[in-house]
PDB file of all heavy atoms in Angstrom:
ATOM      1  N   ILE J  27     286.007 136.997 129.951  1.00 82.00           N
ATOM      2  CA  ILE J  27     285.991 138.390 130.377  1.00 82.00           C
ATOM      3  C   ILE J  27     286.644 138.571 131.723  1.00 82.00           C
ATOM      4  O   ILE J  27     287.430 139.502 131.955  1.00 82.00           O
ATOM      5  CB  ILE J  27     284.533 138.930 130.385  1.00 82.00           C
ATOM      6  CG1 ILE J  27     283.977 138.995 128.958  1.00 82.00           C
ATOM      7  CG2 ILE J  27     284.486 140.322 131.030  1.00 82.00           C
ATOM      8  CD1 ILE J  27     282.504 139.381 128.877  1.00 82.00           C
ATOM      9  N   TYR J  28     286.348 137.685 132.645  1.00 79.00           N
ATOM     10  CA  TYR J  28     286.977 137.749 133.970  1.00 79.00           C
ATOM     11  C   TYR J  28     288.493 137.565 133.889  1.00 79.00           C
ATOM     12  O   TYR J  28     289.238 138.301 134.583  1.00 79.00           O
ATOM     13  CB  TYR J  28     286.341 136.665 134.888  1.00 79.00           C
ATOM     14  CG  TYR J  28     286.990 136.612 136.239  1.00 79.00           C
ATOM     15  CD1 TYR J  28     286.637 137.538 137.234  1.00 79.00           C
ATOM     16  CD2 TYR J  28     287.937 135.638 136.561  1.00 79.00           C
ATOM     17  CE1 TYR J  28     287.207 137.495 138.493  1.00 79.00           C
ATOM     18  CE2 TYR J  28     288.516 135.601 137.803  1.00 79.00           C
ATOM     19  CZ  TYR J  28     288.143 136.534 138.763  1.00 79.00           C
ATOM     20  OH  TYR J  28     288.744 136.476 140.008  1.00 79.00           O
ATOM     21  N   MET J  29     288.958 136.674 133.060  1.00 81.00           N
ATOM     22  CA  MET J  29     290.399 136.440 132.941  1.00 81.00           C
ATOM     23  C   MET J  29     291.077 137.692 132.309  1.00 81.00           C
ATOM     24  O   MET J  29     292.170 138.053 132.741  1.00 81.00           O
ATOM     25  CB  MET J  29     290.681 135.205 132.096  1.00 81.00           C
ATOM     26  CG  MET J  29     290.210 133.921 132.741  1.00 81.00           C
ATOM     27  SD  MET J  29     290.424 132.459 131.691  1.00 81.00           S
ATOM     28  CE  MET J  29     292.211 132.316 131.693  1.00 81.00           C
ATOM     29  N   PHE J  30     290.451 138.330 131.341  1.00 79.00           N
ATOM     30  CA  PHE J  30     290.988 139.572 130.803  1.00 79.00           C
ATOM     31  C   PHE J  30     291.048 140.639 131.895  1.00 79.00           C
ATOM     32  O   PHE J  30     292.001 141.408 132.014  1.00 79.00           O
ATOM     33  CB  PHE J  30     290.160 140.068 129.639  1.00 79.00           C
ATOM     34  CG  PHE J  30     290.562 139.476 128.315  1.00 79.00           C
ATOM     35  CD1 PHE J  30     289.687 138.687 127.592  1.00 79.00           C
ATOM     36  CD2 PHE J  30     291.797 139.754 127.763  1.00 79.00           C
ATOM     37  CE1 PHE J  30     290.071 138.101 126.386  1.00 79.00           C
ATOM     38  CE2 PHE J  30     292.174 139.227 126.544  1.00 79.00           C
ATOM     39  CZ  PHE J  30     291.287 138.418 125.849  1.00 79.00           C
ATOM     40  N   ALA J  31     289.964 140.733 132.670  1.00 75.00           N
ATOM     41  CA  ALA J  31     289.870 141.746 133.734  1.00 75.00           C
ATOM     42  C   ALA J  31     290.927 141.590 134.821  1.00 75.00           C
ATOM     43  O   ALA J  31     291.422 142.563 135.377  1.00 75.00           O
ATOM     44  CB  ALA J  31     288.488 141.761 134.340  1.00 75.00           C
ATOM     45  N   THR J  32     291.272 140.348 135.116  1.00 75.00           N
ATOM     46  CA  THR J  32     292.252 140.072 136.170  1.00 75.00           C
ATOM     47  C   THR J  32     293.686 140.074 135.660  1.00 75.00           C
ATOM     48  O   THR J  32     294.617 139.767 136.425  1.00 75.00           O
ATOM     49  CB  THR J  32     291.966 138.739 136.856  1.00 75.00           C
ATOM     50  OG1 THR J  32     291.886 137.686 135.867  1.00 75.00           O
ATOM     51  CG2 THR J  32     290.625 138.788 137.578  1.00 75.00           C
ATOM     52  N   GLY J  33     293.877 140.386 134.378  1.00 75.00           N
ATOM     53  CA  GLY J  33     295.218 140.507 133.842  1.00 75.00           C
ATOM     54  C   GLY J  33     295.816 139.283 133.248  1.00 75.00           C
ATOM     55  O   GLY J  33     296.963 139.293 132.753  1.00 75.00           O
ATOM     56  N   ASP J  34     295.097 138.196 133.193  1.00 78.00           N
ATOM     57  CA  ASP J  34     295.582 136.941 132.628  1.00 78.00           C
ATOM     58  C   ASP J  34     295.311 136.963 131.112  1.00 78.00           C
ATOM     59  O   ASP J  34     294.529 136.140 130.587  1.00 78.00           O
ATOM     60  CB  ASP J  34     294.906 135.756 133.298  1.00 78.00           C
ATOM     61  CG  ASP J  34     295.659 134.409 133.009  1.00 78.00           C
ATOM     62  OD1 ASP J  34     296.659 134.482 132.302  1.00 78.00           O
ATOM     63  OD2 ASP J  34     295.208 133.378 133.505  1.00 78.00           O
ATOM     64  N   THR J  35     295.932 137.901 130.424  1.00 81.00           N
ATOM     65  CA  THR J  35     295.601 138.153 129.029  1.00 81.00           C
ATOM     66  C   THR J  35     295.911 136.994 128.088  1.00 81.00           C
ATOM     67  O   THR J  35     295.160 136.664 127.184  1.00 81.00           O
ATOM     68  CB  THR J  35     296.353 139.446 128.563  1.00 81.00           C
ATOM     69  OG1 THR J  35     296.095 140.493 129.431  1.00 81.00           O
ATOM     70  CG2 THR J  35     295.900 139.800 127.134  1.00 81.00           C
ATOM     71  N   LEU J  36     297.096 136.369 128.272  1.00 87.00           N
ATOM     72  CA  LEU J  36     297.507 135.300 127.410  1.00 87.00           C
ATOM     73  C   LEU J  36     296.542 134.122 127.490  1.00 87.00           C
ATOM     74  O   LEU J  36     296.036 133.669 126.438  1.00 87.00           O
ATOM     75  CB  LEU J  36     298.932 134.840 127.744  1.00 87.00           C
ATOM     76  CG  LEU J  36     299.452 133.641 126.946  1.00 87.00           C
ATOM     77  CD1 LEU J  36     299.492 133.994 125.464  1.00 87.00           C
ATOM     78  CD2 LEU J  36     300.841 133.212 127.431  1.00 87.00           C
ATOM     79  N   ASN J  37     296.249 133.656 128.691  1.00 85.00           N
ATOM     80  CA  ASN J  37     295.335 132.508 128.835  1.00 85.00           C
ATOM     81  C   ASN J  37     293.922 132.874 128.379  1.00 85.00           C
ATOM     82  O   ASN J  37     293.211 132.014 127.809  1.00 85.00           O
ATOM     83  CB  ASN J  37     295.321 132.053 130.289  1.00 85.00           C
ATOM     84  CG  ASN J  37     296.494 131.169 130.650  1.00 85.00           C
ATOM     85  OD1 ASN J  37     297.020 130.476 129.780  1.00 85.00           O
ATOM     86  ND2 ASN J  37     296.950 131.244 131.886  1.00 85.00           N
ATOM     87  N   ALA J  38     293.521 134.126 128.629  1.00 85.00           N
ATOM     88  CA  ALA J  38     292.193 134.576 128.239  1.00 85.00           C
ATOM     89  C   ALA J  38     292.058 134.531 126.700  1.00 85.00           C
ATOM     90  O   ALA J  38     291.064 134.093 126.148  1.00 85.00           O
ATOM     91  CB  ALA J  38     291.890 135.956 128.756  1.00 85.00           C
ATOM     92  N   THR J  39     293.100 135.008 126.021  1.00 88.00           N
ATOM     93  CA  THR J  39     293.118 135.008 124.535  1.00 88.00           C
ATOM     94  C   THR J  39     293.076 133.576 124.009  1.00 88.00           C
ATOM     95  O   THR J  39     292.326 133.280 123.053  1.00 88.00           O
ATOM     96  CB  THR J  39     294.362 135.742 124.018  1.00 88.00           C
ATOM     97  OG1 THR J  39     294.382 137.079 124.541  1.00 88.00           O
ATOM     98  CG2 THR J  39     294.313 135.820 122.493  1.00 88.00           C
ATOM     99  N   LEU J  40     293.936 132.710 124.598  1.00 90.00           N
ATOM    100  CA  LEU J  40     293.997 131.337 124.131  1.00 90.00           C
ATOM    101  C   LEU J  40     292.641 130.638 124.377  1.00 90.00           C
ATOM    102  O   LEU J  40     292.169 129.859 123.535  1.00 90.00           O
ATOM    103  CB  LEU J  40     295.112 130.579 124.815  1.00 90.00           C
ATOM    104  CG  LEU J  40     296.519 131.019 124.449  1.00 90.00           C
ATOM    105  CD1 LEU J  40     297.547 130.306 125.311  1.00 90.00           C
ATOM    106  CD2 LEU J  40     296.831 130.790 122.997  1.00 90.00           C
ATOM    107  N   LEU J  41     292.047 130.894 125.552  1.00 88.00           N
ATOM    108  CA  LEU J  41     290.761 130.257 125.839  1.00 88.00           C
ATOM    109  C   LEU J  41     289.678 130.770 124.926  1.00 88.00           C
ATOM    110  O   LEU J  41     288.804 129.989 124.471  1.00 88.00           O
ATOM    111  CB  LEU J  41     290.377 130.562 127.325  1.00 88.00           C
ATOM    112  CG  LEU J  41     289.123 129.887 127.832  1.00 88.00           C
ATOM    113  CD1 LEU J  41     289.278 128.332 127.808  1.00 88.00           C
ATOM    114  CD2 LEU J  41     288.768 130.333 129.252  1.00 88.00           C
ATOM    115  N   LEU J  42     289.717 132.058 124.583  1.00 89.00           N
ATOM    116  CA  LEU J  42     288.732 132.629 123.656  1.00 89.00           C
ATOM    117  C   LEU J  42     288.869 131.952 122.294  1.00 89.00           C
ATOM    118  O   LEU J  42     287.864 131.554 121.672  1.00 89.00           O
ATOM    119  CB  LEU J  42     288.971 134.152 123.520  1.00 89.00           C
ATOM    120  CG  LEU J  42     288.166 134.873 122.470  1.00 89.00           C
ATOM    121  CD1 LEU J  42     286.686 134.770 122.774  1.00 89.00           C
ATOM    122  CD2 LEU J  42     288.573 136.307 122.355  1.00 89.00           C
ATOM    123  N   LEU J  43     290.114 131.811 121.780  1.00 89.00           N
ATOM    124  CA  LEU J  43     290.283 131.166 120.523  1.00 89.00           C
ATOM    125  C   LEU J  43     289.889 129.658 120.574  1.00 89.00           C
ATOM    126  O   LEU J  43     289.292 129.156 119.589  1.00 89.00           O
ATOM    127  CB  LEU J  43     291.763 131.290 120.109  1.00 89.00           C
ATOM    128  CG  LEU J  43     292.269 132.676 119.795  1.00 89.00           C
ATOM    129  CD1 LEU J  43     293.777 132.703 119.533  1.00 89.00           C
ATOM    130  CD2 LEU J  43     291.501 133.247 118.577  1.00 89.00           C
ATOM    131  N   TYR J  44     290.208 129.037 121.683  1.00 89.00           N
ATOM    132  CA  TYR J  44     289.857 127.607 121.827  1.00 89.00           C
ATOM    133  C   TYR J  44     288.355 127.386 121.720  1.00 89.00           C
ATOM    134  O   TYR J  44     287.894 126.518 120.991  1.00 89.00           O
ATOM    135  CB  TYR J  44     290.406 127.099 123.159  1.00 89.00           C
ATOM    136  CG  TYR J  44     290.045 125.686 123.479  1.00 89.00           C
ATOM    137  CD1 TYR J  44     290.857 124.618 123.028  1.00 89.00           C
ATOM    138  CD2 TYR J  44     288.950 125.327 124.226  1.00 89.00           C
ATOM    139  CE1 TYR J  44     290.588 123.302 123.310  1.00 89.00           C
ATOM    140  CE2 TYR J  44     288.650 124.004 124.521  1.00 89.00           C
ATOM    141  CZ  TYR J  44     289.445 123.006 124.057  1.00 89.00           C
ATOM    142  OH  TYR J  44     289.147 121.697 124.352  1.00 89.00           O
ATOM    143  N   HIS J  45     287.587 128.200 122.473  1.00 87.00           N
ATOM    144  CA  HIS J  45     286.126 128.020 122.469  1.00 87.00           C
ATOM    145  C   HIS J  45     285.520 128.472 121.158  1.00 87.00           C
ATOM    146  O   HIS J  45     284.579 127.864 120.647  1.00 87.00           O
ATOM    147  CB  HIS J  45     285.519 128.806 123.616  1.00 87.00           C
ATOM    148  CG  HIS J  45     285.639 128.127 124.946  1.00 87.00           C
ATOM    149  ND1 HIS J  45     285.130 126.861 125.177  1.00 87.00           N
ATOM    150  CD2 HIS J  45     286.259 128.524 126.079  1.00 87.00           C
ATOM    151  CE1 HIS J  45     285.425 126.523 126.467  1.00 87.00           C
ATOM    152  NE2 HIS J  45     286.100 127.491 127.017  1.00 87.00           N
ATOM    153  N   ALA J  46     286.014 129.575 120.569  1.00 84.00           N
ATOM    154  CA  ALA J  46     285.487 130.043 119.310  1.00 84.00           C
ATOM    155  C   ALA J  46     285.738 129.070 118.174  1.00 84.00           C
ATOM    156  O   ALA J  46     284.872 128.892 117.304  1.00 84.00           O
ATOM    157  CB  ALA J  46     286.072 131.407 118.960  1.00 84.00           C
ATOM    158  N   ILE J  47     286.887 128.430 118.177  1.00 85.00           N
ATOM    159  CA  ILE J  47     287.240 127.504 117.076  1.00 85.00           C
ATOM    160  C   ILE J  47     286.857 126.078 117.353  1.00 85.00           C
ATOM    161  O   ILE J  47     286.165 125.425 116.575  1.00 85.00           O
ATOM    162  CB  ILE J  47     288.783 127.595 116.787  1.00 85.00           C
ATOM    163  CG1 ILE J  47     289.141 129.022 116.323  1.00 85.00           C
ATOM    164  CG2 ILE J  47     289.196 126.585 115.717  1.00 85.00           C
ATOM    165  CD1 ILE J  47     290.644 129.274 116.208  1.00 85.00           C
ATOM    166  N   VAL J  48     287.279 125.581 118.511  1.00 86.00           N
ATOM    167  CA  VAL J  48     287.067 124.165 118.834  1.00 86.00           C
ATOM    168  C   VAL J  48     285.654 123.889 119.332  1.00 86.00           C
ATOM    169  O   VAL J  48     284.899 123.110 118.725  1.00 86.00           O
ATOM    170  CB  VAL J  48     288.116 123.668 119.841  1.00 86.00           C
ATOM    171  CG1 VAL J  48     287.889 122.175 120.172  1.00 86.00           C
ATOM    172  CG2 VAL J  48     289.517 123.881 119.313  1.00 86.00           C
ATOM    173  N   THR J  49     285.278 124.531 120.454  1.00 82.00           N
ATOM    174  CA  THR J  49     283.985 124.254 121.089  1.00 82.00           C
ATOM    175  C   THR J  49     282.827 124.540 120.147  1.00 82.00           C
ATOM    176  O   THR J  49     281.872 123.777 120.038  1.00 82.00           O
ATOM    177  CB  THR J  49     283.828 125.032 122.364  1.00 82.00           C
ATOM    178  OG1 THR J  49     284.991 124.787 123.228  1.00 82.00           O
ATOM    179  CG2 THR J  49     282.591 124.608 123.117  1.00 82.00           C
ATOM    180  N   GLY J  50     282.901 125.720 119.495  1.00 76.00           N
ATOM    181  CA  GLY J  50     281.836 126.099 118.571  1.00 76.00           C
ATOM    182  C   GLY J  50     281.655 125.138 117.416  1.00 76.00           C
ATOM    183  O   GLY J  50     280.542 124.750 117.054  1.00 76.00           O
ATOM    184  N   ASN J  51     282.777 124.704 116.823  1.00 78.00           N
ATOM    185  CA  ASN J  51     282.679 123.781 115.690  1.00 78.00           C
ATOM    186  C   ASN J  51     282.267 122.365 116.135  1.00 78.00           C
ATOM    187  O   ASN J  51     281.579 121.671 115.397  1.00 78.00           O
ATOM    188  CB  ASN J  51     284.036 123.681 114.978  1.00 78.00           C
ATOM    189  CG  ASN J  51     284.293 124.903 114.121  1.00 78.00           C
ATOM    190  OD1 ASN J  51     283.391 125.434 113.448  1.00 78.00           O
ATOM    191  ND2 ASN J  51     285.511 125.454 114.140  1.00 78.00           N
ATOM    192  N   VAL J  52     282.696 121.991 117.338  1.00 79.00           N
ATOM    193  CA  VAL J  52     282.257 120.682 117.843  1.00 79.00           C
ATOM    194  C   VAL J  52     280.746 120.656 118.022  1.00 79.00           C
ATOM    195  O   VAL J  52     280.051 119.663 117.692  1.00 79.00           O
ATOM    196  CB  VAL J  52     282.974 120.348 119.176  1.00 79.00           C
ATOM    197  CG1 VAL J  52     282.278 119.182 119.889  1.00 79.00           C
ATOM    198  CG2 VAL J  52     284.434 120.002 118.918  1.00 79.00           C
ATOM    199  N   ASP J  53     280.202 121.741 118.539  1.00 73.00           N
ATOM    200  CA  ASP J  53     278.749 121.848 118.724  1.00 73.00           C
ATOM    201  C   ASP J  53     278.048 121.720 117.345  1.00 73.00           C
ATOM    202  O   ASP J  53     277.089 120.972 117.218  1.00 73.00           O
ATOM    203  CB  ASP J  53     278.387 123.148 119.379  1.00 73.00           C
ATOM    204  CG  ASP J  53     276.891 123.358 119.499  1.00 73.00           C
ATOM    205  OD1 ASP J  53     276.274 122.631 120.312  1.00 73.00           O
ATOM    206  OD2 ASP J  53     276.328 124.231 118.812  1.00 73.00           O
ATOM    207  N   TYR J  54     278.534 122.473 116.365  1.00 73.00           N
ATOM    208  CA  TYR J  54     277.896 122.450 115.048  1.00 73.00           C
ATOM    209  C   TYR J  54     277.987 121.082 114.395  1.00 73.00           C
ATOM    210  O   TYR J  54     277.003 120.476 113.915  1.00 73.00           O
ATOM    211  CB  TYR J  54     278.555 123.489 114.160  1.00 73.00           C
ATOM    212  CG  TYR J  54     278.057 123.502 112.736  1.00 73.00           C
ATOM    213  CD1 TYR J  54     276.791 123.976 112.395  1.00 73.00           C
ATOM    214  CD2 TYR J  54     278.834 122.955 111.692  1.00 73.00           C
ATOM    215  CE1 TYR J  54     276.342 123.947 111.096  1.00 73.00           C
ATOM    216  CE2 TYR J  54     278.385 122.928 110.381  1.00 73.00           C
ATOM    217  CZ  TYR J  54     277.143 123.443 110.106  1.00 73.00           C
ATOM    218  OH  TYR J  54     276.707 123.398 108.824  1.00 73.00           O
ATOM    219  N   ILE J  55     279.195 120.482 114.428  1.00 76.00           N
ATOM    220  CA  ILE J  55     279.410 119.173 113.785  1.00 76.00           C
ATOM    221  C   ILE J  55     278.593 118.099 114.500  1.00 76.00           C
ATOM    222  O   ILE J  55     277.991 117.243 113.878  1.00 76.00           O
ATOM    223  CB  ILE J  55     280.915 118.832 113.793  1.00 76.00           C
ATOM    224  CG1 ILE J  55     281.652 119.786 112.873  1.00 76.00           C
ATOM    225  CG2 ILE J  55     281.112 117.381 113.333  1.00 76.00           C
ATOM    226  CD1 ILE J  55     283.188 119.652 112.972  1.00 76.00           C
ATOM    227  N   ALA J  56     278.608 118.143 115.824  1.00 73.00           N
ATOM    228  CA  ALA J  56     277.849 117.141 116.583  1.00 73.00           C
ATOM    229  C   ALA J  56     276.372 117.172 116.303  1.00 73.00           C
ATOM    230  O   ALA J  56     275.690 116.141 116.168  1.00 73.00           O
ATOM    231  CB  ALA J  56     278.104 117.310 118.101  1.00 73.00           C
ATOM    232  N   ARG J  57     275.829 118.362 116.199  1.00 70.00           N
ATOM    233  CA  ARG J  57     274.396 118.498 115.970  1.00 70.00           C
ATOM    234  C   ARG J  57     273.993 118.037 114.585  1.00 70.00           C
ATOM    235  O   ARG J  57     272.957 117.378 114.384  1.00 70.00           O
ATOM    236  CB  ARG J  57     273.925 119.945 116.235  1.00 70.00           C
ATOM    237  CG  ARG J  57     273.942 120.334 117.681  1.00 70.00           C
ATOM    238  CD  ARG J  57     273.373 121.703 117.939  1.00 70.00           C
ATOM    239  NE  ARG J  57     273.573 122.067 119.313  1.00 70.00           N
ATOM    240  CZ  ARG J  57     272.781 121.725 120.336  1.00 70.00           C
ATOM    241  NH1 ARG J  57     271.742 120.985 120.106  1.00 70.00           N
ATOM    242  NH2 ARG J  57     273.063 122.076 121.561  1.00 70.00           N
ATOM    243  N   ILE J  58     274.785 118.415 113.578  1.00 69.00           N
ATOM    244  CA  ILE J  58     274.367 118.043 112.210  1.00 69.00           C
ATOM    245  C   ILE J  58     274.702 116.573 111.914  1.00 69.00           C
ATOM    246  O   ILE J  58     274.193 116.029 110.908  1.00 69.00           O
ATOM    247  CB  ILE J  58     275.050 118.952 111.155  1.00 69.00           C
ATOM    248  CG1 ILE J  58     276.579 118.790 111.183  1.00 69.00           C
ATOM    249  CG2 ILE J  58     274.637 120.395 111.387  1.00 69.00           C
ATOM    250  CD1 ILE J  58     277.288 119.557 110.071  1.00 69.00           C
ATOM    251  N   THR J  59     275.557 115.932 112.706  1.00 72.00           N
ATOM    252  CA  THR J  59     275.888 114.540 112.459  1.00 72.00           C
ATOM    253  C   THR J  59     275.112 113.616 113.380  1.00 72.00           C
ATOM    254  O   THR J  59     274.422 112.693 112.878  1.00 72.00           O
ATOM    255  CB  THR J  59     277.404 114.316 112.639  1.00 72.00           C
ATOM    256  OG1 THR J  59     277.801 114.730 113.992  1.00 72.00           O
ATOM    257  CG2 THR J  59     278.212 115.000 111.636  1.00 72.00           C
ATOM    258  N   LEU J  60     275.137 113.854 114.692  1.00 70.00           N
ATOM    259  CA  LEU J  60     274.436 112.960 115.600  1.00 70.00           C
ATOM    260  C   LEU J  60     272.949 112.980 115.453  1.00 70.00           C
ATOM    261  O   LEU J  60     272.290 111.956 115.269  1.00 70.00           O
ATOM    262  CB  LEU J  60     274.822 113.335 117.072  1.00 70.00           C
ATOM    263  CG  LEU J  60     276.113 112.770 117.601  1.00 70.00           C
ATOM    264  CD1 LEU J  60     276.374 113.296 119.014  1.00 70.00           C
ATOM    265  CD2 LEU J  60     276.127 111.267 117.622  1.00 70.00           C
ATOM    266  N   LEU J  61     272.349 114.183 115.476  1.00 66.00           N
ATOM    267  CA  LEU J  61     270.903 114.297 115.362  1.00 66.00           C
ATOM    268  C   LEU J  61     270.417 113.824 113.988  1.00 66.00           C
ATOM    269  O   LEU J  61     269.362 113.225 113.842  1.00 66.00           O
ATOM    270  CB  LEU J  61     270.432 115.724 115.637  1.00 66.00           C
ATOM    271  CG  LEU J  61     270.646 116.252 117.061  1.00 66.00           C
ATOM    272  CD1 LEU J  61     270.107 117.632 117.203  1.00 66.00           C
ATOM    273  CD2 LEU J  61     270.011 115.306 118.079  1.00 66.00           C
ATOM    274  N   LYS J  62     271.233 114.111 112.951  1.00 66.00           N
ATOM    275  CA  LYS J  62     270.888 113.693 111.585  1.00 66.00           C
ATOM    276  C   LYS J  62     270.991 112.168 111.512  1.00 66.00           C
ATOM    277  O   LYS J  62     270.149 111.503 110.888  1.00 66.00           O
ATOM    278  CB  LYS J  62     271.822 114.350 110.597  1.00 66.00           C
ATOM    279  CG  LYS J  62     271.442 114.161 109.140  1.00 66.00           C
ATOM    280  CD  LYS J  62     270.319 115.084 108.746  1.00 66.00           C
ATOM    281  CE  LYS J  62     270.049 114.984 107.243  1.00 66.00           C
ATOM    282  NZ  LYS J  62     268.909 115.812 106.844  1.00 66.00           N
ATOM    283  N   ARG J  63     272.028 111.604 112.149  1.00 69.00           N
ATOM    284  CA  ARG J  63     272.241 110.155 112.034  1.00 69.00           C
ATOM    285  C   ARG J  63     271.213 109.364 112.878  1.00 69.00           C
ATOM    286  O   ARG J  63     270.696 108.348 112.430  1.00 69.00           O
ATOM    287  CB  ARG J  63     273.680 109.824 112.520  1.00 69.00           C
ATOM    288  CG  ARG J  63     274.062 108.394 112.338  1.00 69.00           C
ATOM    289  CD  ARG J  63     275.486 108.145 112.807  1.00 69.00           C
ATOM    290  NE  ARG J  63     275.946 106.828 112.505  1.00 69.00           N
ATOM    291  CZ  ARG J  63     276.532 106.455 111.378  1.00 69.00           C
ATOM    292  NH1 ARG J  63     276.710 107.341 110.441  1.00 69.00           N
ATOM    293  NH2 ARG J  63     276.932 105.223 111.157  1.00 69.00           N
ATOM    294  N   ILE J  64     270.911 109.899 114.075  1.00 67.00           N
ATOM    295  CA  ILE J  64     269.994 109.154 114.964  1.00 67.00           C
ATOM    296  C   ILE J  64     268.569 109.249 114.457  1.00 67.00           C
ATOM    297  O   ILE J  64     267.834 108.250 114.401  1.00 67.00           O
ATOM    298  CB  ILE J  64     270.091 109.702 116.384  1.00 67.00           C
ATOM    299  CG1 ILE J  64     271.512 109.404 116.957  1.00 67.00           C
ATOM    300  CG2 ILE J  64     269.051 109.039 117.286  1.00 67.00           C
ATOM    301  CD1 ILE J  64     271.738 110.004 118.306  1.00 67.00           C
ATOM    302  N   GLY J  65     268.125 110.470 114.109  1.00 60.00           N
ATOM    303  CA  GLY J  65     266.709 110.612 113.769  1.00 60.00           C
ATOM    304  C   GLY J  65     266.430 111.422 112.509  1.00 60.00           C
ATOM    305  O   GLY J  65     265.280 111.765 112.252  1.00 60.00           O
ATOM    306  N   ASP J  66     267.452 111.752 111.727  1.00 65.00           N
ATOM    307  CA  ASP J  66     267.279 112.519 110.506  1.00 65.00           C
ATOM    308  C   ASP J  66     266.514 113.791 110.768  1.00 65.00           C
ATOM    309  O   ASP J  66     265.607 114.208 110.057  1.00 65.00           O
ATOM    310  CB  ASP J  66     266.551 111.665 109.446  1.00 65.00           C
ATOM    311  CG  ASP J  66     266.665 112.287 108.078  1.00 65.00           C
ATOM    312  OD1 ASP J  66     267.614 113.044 107.837  1.00 65.00           O
ATOM    313  OD2 ASP J  66     265.791 112.017 107.215  1.00 65.00           O
ATOM    314  N   THR J  67     266.889 114.463 111.883  1.00 64.00           N
ATOM    315  CA  THR J  67     266.215 115.721 112.273  1.00 64.00           C
ATOM    316  C   THR J  67     267.012 116.929 111.746  1.00 64.00           C
ATOM    317  O   THR J  67     268.197 117.029 112.026  1.00 64.00           O
ATOM    318  CB  THR J  67     266.119 115.794 113.797  1.00 64.00           C
ATOM    319  OG1 THR J  67     265.447 114.640 114.273  1.00 64.00           O
ATOM    320  CG2 THR J  67     265.338 117.051 114.221  1.00 64.00           C
ATOM    321  N   HIS J  68     266.337 117.807 111.085  1.00 65.00           N
ATOM    322  CA  HIS J  68     267.024 118.976 110.500  1.00 65.00           C
ATOM    323  C   HIS J  68     267.381 119.933 111.639  1.00 65.00           C
ATOM    324  O   HIS J  68     266.614 120.113 112.570  1.00 65.00           O
ATOM    325  CB  HIS J  68     266.086 119.693 109.506  1.00 65.00           C
ATOM    326  CG  HIS J  68     266.821 120.641 108.625  1.00 65.00           C
ATOM    327  ND1 HIS J  68     267.199 121.920 109.043  1.00 65.00           N
ATOM    328  CD2 HIS J  68     267.268 120.536 107.360  1.00 65.00           C
ATOM    329  CE1 HIS J  68     267.798 122.511 108.045  1.00 65.00           C
ATOM    330  NE2 HIS J  68     267.890 121.721 107.032  1.00 65.00           N
ATOM    331  N   PRO J  69     268.600 120.552 111.578  1.00 65.00           N
ATOM    332  CA  PRO J  69     269.010 121.447 112.666  1.00 65.00           C
ATOM    333  C   PRO J  69     268.074 122.615 112.871  1.00 65.00           C
ATOM    334  O   PRO J  69     267.918 123.073 114.001  1.00 65.00           O
ATOM    335  CB  PRO J  69     270.391 121.927 112.182  1.00 65.00           C
ATOM    336  CG  PRO J  69     270.887 120.860 111.231  1.00 65.00           C
ATOM    337  CD  PRO J  69     269.687 120.287 110.600  1.00 65.00           C
TER     338      PRO J  69
END
């Protein structure tokens, strides 16, 4: 939001897509694989 507000629209858009696609999926995949593998704990 700050990057959009300061006019850095291109980087803000790319960062938004990066976190929405990459960071969010990494969190989901890591939780269902690591926690499941280490202790068979349901998400």
Side-chain angles (χ1 to χ4, degrees):
I27 292 174
Y28 176 79
M29 293 176 70
F30 274 117
T32 55
D34 195 359
T35 306
L36 177 60
N37 281 330
T39 303
L40 292 174
L41 185 63
L42 174 62
L43 293 174
Y44 178 86
H45 283 300
I47 297 172
V48 179
T49 307
N51 285 320
V52 166
D53 177 69
Y54 175 74
I55 294 171
R57 289 185 187 277
I58 64 175
T59 55
L60 278 177
L61 295 183
K62 189 79 174 175
R63 187 180 185 87
I64 295 174
D66 195 25
T67 303
H68 197 280

